[in-house]
Amino acid sequence: MLLKIKKRSDSCSSEITPESIYHGRRHFMQQSGRFALAGLGLMLAGCSQEGEAVSKKTRADAIPSQSGPEWLKKKVLEFNPSVYTTTEALTPHKDVTTYNNFYEFGTGKGDPIRNAHTLKTEPWSVVIEGEVAKPGRYHLEDILKPHAMEERIYRLRCVEAWSMVIPWIGIPLSSILKQFEPTSKARFVEFTTLHDPEQMPGQKASFGSLDWPYVEGLRIDEAMNPLTLMATGLYGDILPNQNGAPFRLVVPWKYGFKSIKSIVKIRLTEKQPKTTWETSAPEEYGFYANVNPAVDHPRWSQKHERRLPSTLLSPNRIKTRPFNGYGEEVADLYKGMDLTRFY
């Protein structure tokens, strides 16, 4: 269930995550942001002395810092607390950053962390084109500059039936799109990943019939939904390369392959774009890719998922929820649609 933060007790570290050191720091950052909104004294109630001590530790004592642009590190570290969170335990940082699907760096789960060091994230620019009043090539810093970062704790459900809970840092996609002034003809948003086989060795391989660059898309109302996020960080730091640095999409009610990584182009269009997996295997991967336990993948059931970390003897198996548990916020987007046909 998605929760709107109302009380400090909703996000105490003991309730949310085993990454206690990180959350000591996160608690400190949240304190600072909320102090500006007043009510600090009430929000601190119930937090342990141990948590207060942890909040004073340096970041280096928590999670190793990621390499990347210093301007982005500074901006990400200034994140604000968000109204979007969950009381479910966070997936440990190690699992989030070492168990990844990012075929541009290889098809194995451990390939991205081994190979993604070749990705250069500075300078980084994004082309904005199509049905907008202000098209052009923009440096990522200029795109992000007008916006405040916020942390959002979302569930991530992979189409392969495993899942995580991740503390992303980013900016609502709606805020970013508005600065380029979409026209009335903009009905879809198409995203494209960097195509550079020298930096992304997986693009040199001919995996099945995948065509590079990787392309994904959303309807404009999905893109403008408050939940849809453009992430530049996780766990209080900038995105690691293997997680889609420096600029990726996060759509928490859809299967993870919709949340395209390392974006270099955003195009607004009248026509529905052809996405990479939809083109490669349309019988398995549709355009919408909404999490739906009632619609199985042709090769496996979607009724349950493995919440990481898990092992063979302790699979941590849980029931999959429609729209990944975000139905209250997004179900109206699909009112009257046959979600078996439009999978």
Side-chain angles (χ1 to χ4, degrees):
M1 178 176 64
L2 188 70
L3 301 177
K4 302 292 179 70
I5 296 176
K6 296 295 183 184
K7 298 181 293 185
R8 178 65 186 91
S9 59
D10 285 340
S11 57
C12 280
S13 61
S14 61
E15 295 180 354
I16 293 179
T17 175
E19 296 284 339
S20 59
I21 296 179
Y22 162 76
H23 265 281
R25 177 189 168 279
R26 177 173 178 269
H27 163 62
F28 177 79
M29 295 296 292
Q30 287 184 327
Q31 269 181 228
S32 301
R34 287 170 178 163
F35 182 71
L37 301 176
L40 176 64
L42 290 174
M43 290 176 180
L44 288 175
C47 291
S48 68
Q49 289 183 349
E50 180 182 359
E52 293 301 320
V54 167
S55 72
K56 296 176 183 177
K57 289 181 176 290
T58 64
R59 208 179 166 293
D61 291 329
I63 295 167
S65 181
Q66 302 296 329
S67 60
E70 289 302 316
W71 67 265
L72 185 55
K73 281 177 172 285
K74 181 179 179 181
K75 189 167 184 67
V76 165
L77 283 171
E78 294 171 350
F79 71 84
N80 294 321
S82 170
V83 297
Y84 298 106
T85 187
T86 176
T87 54
E88 297 174 56
L90 293 190
T91 302
H93 179 267
K94 181 179 179 181
D95 294 277
V96 172
T97 57
T98 62
Y99 192 91
N100 305 108
N101 281 332
F102 200 172
Y103 287 171
E104 284 82 349
F105 296 104
T107 58
K109 296 294 187 290
D111 288 343
I113 192 171
R114 283 192 292 268
N115 300 328
H117 63 278
T118 55
L119 179 64
K120 299 178 178 65
T121 58
E122 177 66 14
W124 193 273
S125 61
V126 180
V127 172
I128 310 293
E129 64 182 26
E131 296 296 340
V132 292
K134 297 180 178 179
R137 181 181 292 274
Y138 295 84
H139 190 276
L140 182 59
E141 184 173 9
D142 295 326
I143 293 175
L144 303 181
K145 190 180 297 182
H147 309 286
M149 294 284 172
E150 58 181 81
E151 181 180 72
R152 295 186 174 190
I153 301 178
Y154 282 160
R155 290 178 291 275
L156 172 70
R157 171 59 156 83
C158 182
V159 73
E160 298 169 345
W162 54 266
S163 63
M164 298 182 178
V165 180
I166 301 174
W168 302 103
I169 296 173
I171 297 163
L173 175 57
S174 60
S175 298
I176 290 176
L177 292 180
K178 286 175 183 176
Q179 76 189 84
F180 302 108
E181 301 179 11
T183 73
S184 60
K185 294 181 179 180
R187 297 181 58 237
F188 295 89
V189 185
E190 178 185 278
F191 306 87
T192 304
T193 293
L194 175 69
H195 184 207
D196 187 337
E198 294 306 312
Q199 294 190 59
M200 295 176 150
Q203 292 176 340
K204 295 179 182 179
S206 55
F207 171 72
S209 57
L210 270 190
D211 293 326
W212 307 114
Y214 194 90
V215 174
E216 259 305 338
L218 297 172
R219 276 188 345 209
I220 191 70
D221 56 349
E222 296 175 319
M224 302 302 281
N225 185 275
L227 286 178
T228 308
L229 189 72
M230 296 303 300
T232 58
L234 57 77
Y235 260 111
D237 201 355
I238 60 175
L239 285 171
N241 286 2
Q242 65 269 24
N243 290 94
F247 193 51
R248 67 165 289 168
L249 180 67
V250 178
V251 194
W253 71 92
K254 294 179 179 289
Y255 291 120
F257 69 86
K258 294 292 290 186
S259 294
I260 184 172
K261 305 174 179 76
S262 302
I263 293 169
V264 294
K265 185 167 70 174
I266 299 175
R267 183 169 70 97
L268 284 82
T269 177
E270 285 188 84
K271 295 182 179 180
Q272 180 175 308
K274 274 292 186 180
T275 62
T276 294
W277 278 107
E278 182 189 12
T279 300
S280 176
E283 71 285 356
E284 297 187 5
Y285 307 104
F287 175 81
Y288 286 94
N290 291 319
V291 176
N292 190 345
V295 178
D296 289 337
H297 187 279
R299 289 178 282 136
W300 56 79
S301 169
Q302 295 289 18
K303 292 180 176 60
H304 293 84
E305 62 201 66
R306 291 184 300 111
R307 175 62 52 81
L308 299 181
S310 68
T311 65
L312 184 64
L313 297 178
S314 181
N316 200 12
R317 195 164 178 259
I318 61 176
K319 286 186 177 180
T320 295
R321 287 167 280 184
F323 300 109
N324 204 23
Y326 298 99
E328 184 178 342
E329 288 77 21
V330 303
D332 282 349
L333 295 175
Y334 311 101
K335 191 173 181 179
M337 290 180 60
D338 181 349
L339 296 182
T340 301
R341 178 184 175 192
F342 298 103
Y343 57 92

mmCIF file of all heavy atoms in Angstrom, residues 217-235:
data_model
loop_
_atom_site.group_PDB
_atom_site.id
_atom_site.type_symbol
_atom_site.label_atom_id
_atom_site.label_comp_id
_atom_site.label_asym_id
_atom_site.label_seq_id
_atom_site.Cartn_x
_atom_site.Cartn_y
_atom_site.Cartn_z
ATOM 1 N N GLY A 217 8.282 3.667 -23.916
ATOM 2 C CA GLY A 217 7.294 4.720 -24.096
ATOM 3 C C GLY A 217 6.167 4.657 -23.091
ATOM 4 O O GLY A 217 5.893 3.611 -22.487
ATOM 5 N N LEU A 218 5.515 5.802 -22.920
ATOM 6 C CA LEU A 218 4.349 5.934 -22.057
ATOM 7 C C LEU A 218 3.296 6.759 -22.777
ATOM 8 O O LEU A 218 3.619 7.586 -23.636
ATOM 9 C CB LEU A 218 4.708 6.663 -20.757
ATOM 10 C CG LEU A 218 5.726 6.019 -19.810
ATOM 11 C CD1 LEU A 218 6.066 7.001 -18.689
ATOM 12 C CD2 LEU A 218 5.200 4.709 -19.239
ATOM 13 N N ARG A 219 2.048 6.566 -22.419
ATOM 14 C CA ARG A 219 1.038 7.525 -22.802
ATOM 15 C C ARG A 219 1.289 8.815 -22.036
ATOM 16 O O ARG A 219 1.872 8.801 -20.947
ATOM 17 C CB ARG A 219 -0.367 6.999 -22.442
ATOM 18 C CG ARG A 219 -0.967 6.096 -23.440
ATOM 19 C CD ARG A 219 -2.410 5.745 -23.165
ATOM 20 N NE ARG A 219 -2.936 6.026 -21.833
ATOM 21 C CZ ARG A 219 -3.920 5.336 -21.251
ATOM 22 N NH1 ARG A 219 -4.461 4.311 -21.887
ATOM 23 N NH2 ARG A 219 -4.346 5.652 -20.052
ATOM 24 N N ILE A 220 0.818 9.934 -22.562
ATOM 25 C CA ILE A 220 1.089 11.214 -21.910
ATOM 26 C C ILE A 220 0.454 11.284 -20.524
ATOM 27 O O ILE A 220 1.038 11.858 -19.595
ATOM 28 C CB ILE A 220 0.619 12.402 -22.795
ATOM 29 C CG1 ILE A 220 1.150 13.730 -22.241
ATOM 30 C CG2 ILE A 220 -0.886 12.408 -22.963
ATOM 31 C CD1 ILE A 220 2.631 13.931 -22.378
ATOM 32 N N ASP A 221 -0.732 10.672 -20.343
ATOM 33 C CA ASP A 221 -1.341 10.710 -19.014
ATOM 34 C C ASP A 221 -0.575 9.850 -18.015
ATOM 35 O O ASP A 221 -0.513 10.175 -16.820
ATOM 36 C CB ASP A 221 -2.826 10.323 -19.061
ATOM 37 C CG ASP A 221 -3.082 8.950 -19.683
ATOM 38 O OD1 ASP A 221 -2.153 8.371 -20.277
ATOM 39 O OD2 ASP A 221 -4.230 8.482 -19.583
ATOM 40 N N GLU A 222 0.057 8.768 -18.478
ATOM 41 C CA GLU A 222 0.924 7.979 -17.606
ATOM 42 C C GLU A 222 2.171 8.780 -17.239
ATOM 43 O O GLU A 222 2.623 8.775 -16.084
ATOM 44 C CB GLU A 222 1.336 6.689 -18.308
ATOM 45 C CG GLU A 222 0.197 5.739 -18.607
ATOM 46 C CD GLU A 222 0.638 4.535 -19.409
ATOM 47 O OE1 GLU A 222 1.461 4.700 -20.342
ATOM 48 O OE2 GLU A 222 0.169 3.427 -19.116
ATOM 49 N N ALA A 223 2.728 9.458 -18.228
ATOM 50 C CA ALA A 223 3.931 10.255 -17.996
ATOM 51 C C ALA A 223 3.665 11.389 -17.012
ATOM 52 O O ALA A 223 4.542 11.745 -16.200
ATOM 53 C CB ALA A 223 4.447 10.824 -19.315
ATOM 54 N N MET A 224 2.482 11.963 -17.061
ATOM 55 C CA MET A 224 2.154 13.102 -16.205
ATOM 56 C C MET A 224 1.606 12.681 -14.849
ATOM 57 O O MET A 224 1.365 13.529 -13.989
ATOM 58 C CB MET A 224 1.147 14.010 -16.911
ATOM 59 C CG MET A 224 1.613 14.556 -18.251
ATOM 60 S SD MET A 224 3.153 15.506 -18.164
ATOM 61 C CE MET A 224 2.546 17.072 -17.540
ATOM 62 N N ASN A 225 1.403 11.379 -14.643
ATOM 63 C CA ASN A 225 0.920 10.921 -13.345
ATOM 64 C C ASN A 225 1.929 11.276 -12.254
ATOM 65 O O ASN A 225 3.138 11.146 -12.465
ATOM 66 C CB ASN A 225 0.684 9.408 -13.369
ATOM 67 C CG ASN A 225 0.061 8.902 -12.082
ATOM 68 O OD1 ASN A 225 0.762 8.630 -11.109
ATOM 69 N ND2 ASN A 225 -1.250 8.764 -12.074
ATOM 70 N N PRO A 226 1.464 11.700 -11.080
ATOM 71 C CA PRO A 226 2.397 12.113 -10.017
ATOM 72 C C PRO A 226 3.393 11.049 -9.588
ATOM 73 O O PRO A 226 4.473 11.386 -9.081
ATOM 74 C CB PRO A 226 1.456 12.484 -8.857
ATOM 75 C CG PRO A 226 0.174 12.854 -9.504
ATOM 76 C CD PRO A 226 0.060 11.962 -10.710
ATOM 77 N N LEU A 227 3.071 9.771 -9.779
ATOM 78 C CA LEU A 227 3.996 8.713 -9.368
ATOM 79 C C LEU A 227 5.206 8.584 -10.284
ATOM 80 O O LEU A 227 6.259 8.095 -9.861
ATOM 81 C CB LEU A 227 3.277 7.361 -9.337
ATOM 82 C CG LEU A 227 2.298 7.085 -8.199
ATOM 83 C CD1 LEU A 227 1.672 5.716 -8.394
ATOM 84 C CD2 LEU A 227 2.979 7.171 -6.854
ATOM 85 N N THR A 228 5.084 8.982 -11.549
ATOM 86 C CA THR A 228 6.151 8.746 -12.527
ATOM 87 C C THR A 228 7.344 9.641 -12.238
ATOM 88 O O THR A 228 7.219 10.860 -12.160
ATOM 89 C CB THR A 228 5.630 8.986 -13.952
ATOM 90 O OG1 THR A 228 4.435 8.229 -14.134
ATOM 91 C CG2 THR A 228 6.652 8.566 -14.980
ATOM 92 N N LEU A 229 8.501 9.034 -12.096
ATOM 93 C CA LEU A 229 9.692 9.724 -11.594
ATOM 94 C C LEU A 229 10.852 9.608 -12.575
ATOM 95 O O LEU A 229 11.056 8.562 -13.189
ATOM 96 C CB LEU A 229 10.095 9.097 -10.254
ATOM 97 C CG LEU A 229 11.177 9.789 -9.431
ATOM 98 C CD1 LEU A 229 10.633 11.083 -8.818
ATOM 99 C CD2 LEU A 229 11.677 8.857 -8.316
ATOM 100 N N MET A 230 11.613 10.685 -12.709
ATOM 101 C CA MET A 230 12.911 10.623 -13.370
ATOM 102 C C MET A 230 13.960 10.598 -12.268
ATOM 103 O O MET A 230 14.135 11.573 -11.533
ATOM 104 C CB MET A 230 13.126 11.832 -14.277
ATOM 105 C CG MET A 230 12.159 11.904 -15.442
ATOM 106 S SD MET A 230 12.152 10.442 -16.512
ATOM 107 C CE MET A 230 13.841 10.404 -17.088
ATOM 108 N N ALA A 231 14.623 9.463 -12.126
ATOM 109 C CA ALA A 231 15.551 9.269 -11.009
ATOM 110 C C ALA A 231 16.979 9.604 -11.406
ATOM 111 O O ALA A 231 17.430 9.291 -12.511
ATOM 112 C CB ALA A 231 15.475 7.835 -10.508
ATOM 113 N N THR A 232 17.677 10.230 -10.464
ATOM 114 C CA THR A 232 19.102 10.519 -10.617
ATOM 115 C C THR A 232 19.906 9.946 -9.453
ATOM 116 O O THR A 232 21.125 10.084 -9.412
ATOM 117 C CB THR A 232 19.350 12.034 -10.693
ATOM 118 O OG1 THR A 232 18.835 12.644 -9.506
ATOM 119 C CG2 THR A 232 18.645 12.643 -11.894
ATOM 120 N N GLY A 233 19.218 9.299 -8.514
ATOM 121 C CA GLY A 233 19.911 8.744 -7.362
ATOM 122 C C GLY A 233 19.122 7.644 -6.688
ATOM 123 O O GLY A 233 17.946 7.422 -6.977
ATOM 124 N N LEU A 234 19.810 6.940 -5.793
ATOM 125 C CA LEU A 234 19.162 5.973 -4.909
ATOM 126 C C LEU A 234 19.999 5.831 -3.649
ATOM 127 O O LEU A 234 21.202 6.101 -3.649
ATOM 128 C CB LEU A 234 18.939 4.621 -5.594
ATOM 129 C CG LEU A 234 20.118 3.840 -6.191
ATOM 130 C CD1 LEU A 234 20.958 3.118 -5.130
ATOM 131 C CD2 LEU A 234 19.611 2.816 -7.189
ATOM 132 N N TYR A 235 19.359 5.431 -2.585
ATOM 133 C CA TYR A 235 20.043 5.265 -1.302
ATOM 134 C C TYR A 235 20.906 6.479 -0.936
ATOM 135 O O TYR A 235 22.030 6.353 -0.459
ATOM 136 C CB TYR A 235 20.895 3.996 -1.296
ATOM 137 C CG TYR A 235 20.220 2.838 -0.586
ATOM 138 C CD1 TYR A 235 19.781 1.724 -1.285
ATOM 139 C CD2 TYR A 235 20.012 2.867 0.782
ATOM 140 C CE1 TYR A 235 19.158 0.667 -0.641
ATOM 141 C CE2 TYR A 235 19.397 1.824 1.436
ATOM 142 C CZ TYR A 235 18.965 0.719 0.730
ATOM 143 O OH TYR A 235 18.345 -0.325 1.379
#
